[in-house]
């Protein structure tokens, strides 16, 4: 039960941090909103992921102790983003190969 409570507290904390970020973004210029669109999407996904995963009590507690847990996780994501770009390149190649196969079958 203790682990579930910590995860719920973390979810609530990060949800509130996301809502604050969203409000700040909505009060920004259109250009700033566009410049930070990727950050918005990733932070939203981070919060969403908490609904479907349970961290250990020690990990949830560590994030709860952070001043801004959402920024911590987002910063960690940005440091490891190369894997994300690798996945996009793989999907790009796969989509192109699928189109090539479809075109060959239509001949």
């Amino acid at each position: 039960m203790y682990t579930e409570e910590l995860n719920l507290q973390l979810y609530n904390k990060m949800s509130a941090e996301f809502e604050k970020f969203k409000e700040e973004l909505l009060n920004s210029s259109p250009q700033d909103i566009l410049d930070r669109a990727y950050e918005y999407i990733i932070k939203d996904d981070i919060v969403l992921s908490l609904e479907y995963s349970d961290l250990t009590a020690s990990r949830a507690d560590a994030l709860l102790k952070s001043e801004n847990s959402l920024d911590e996780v987002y910063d960690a994501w940005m440091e490891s983003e190369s894997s994300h770009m690798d996945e996009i390149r793989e999907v790009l190649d796969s989509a192109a190969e699928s189109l090539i196969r479809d075109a060959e079958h239509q001949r």
Side-chain angles (χ1 to χ4, degrees), residues 3-100:
T3 302
E4 288 177 22
E5 289 175 19
L6 287 176
N7 276 279
L8 181 58
Q9 287 175 18
L10 180 61
Y11 174 78
N12 290 336
K13 179 182 189 294
M14 291 177 83
S15 291
E17 291 168 353
F18 181 72
E19 288 304 315
K20 181 179 178 190
F21 168 71
K22 183 178 172 181
E23 280 300 313
E24 290 171 2
L25 205 53
L26 289 172
N27 291 313
S28 301
S29 71
Q31 185 60 51
D32 192 37
I33 293 170
L34 285 174
D35 291 345
R36 299 183 75 188
Y38 179 80
E39 181 180 1
Y40 177 89
I41 295 297
I42 296 302
K43 285 184 173 182
D44 189 38
D45 284 349
I46 291 167
V47 174
L48 180 64
S49 75
L50 288 173
E51 292 181 19
Y52 302 101
S53 59
D54 292 319
L55 297 174
T56 62
S58 60
R59 290 179 177 170
D61 189 50
L63 285 168
L64 279 166
K65 290 177 180 173
S66 171
E67 185 175 327
N68 190 314
S69 305
L70 187 56
D71 282 347
E72 289 285 339
V73 177
Y74 176 75
D75 290 344
W77 169 260
M78 291 302 291
E79 290 175 9
S80 68
E81 188 182 352
S82 63
S83 65
H84 174 70
M85 294 306 291
D86 291 342
E87 291 174 23
I88 288 176
R89 281 188 282 277
E90 287 177 23
V91 170
L92 180 69
D93 286 342
S94 177
E97 283 297 320
S98 180
L99 290 170
I100 290 169

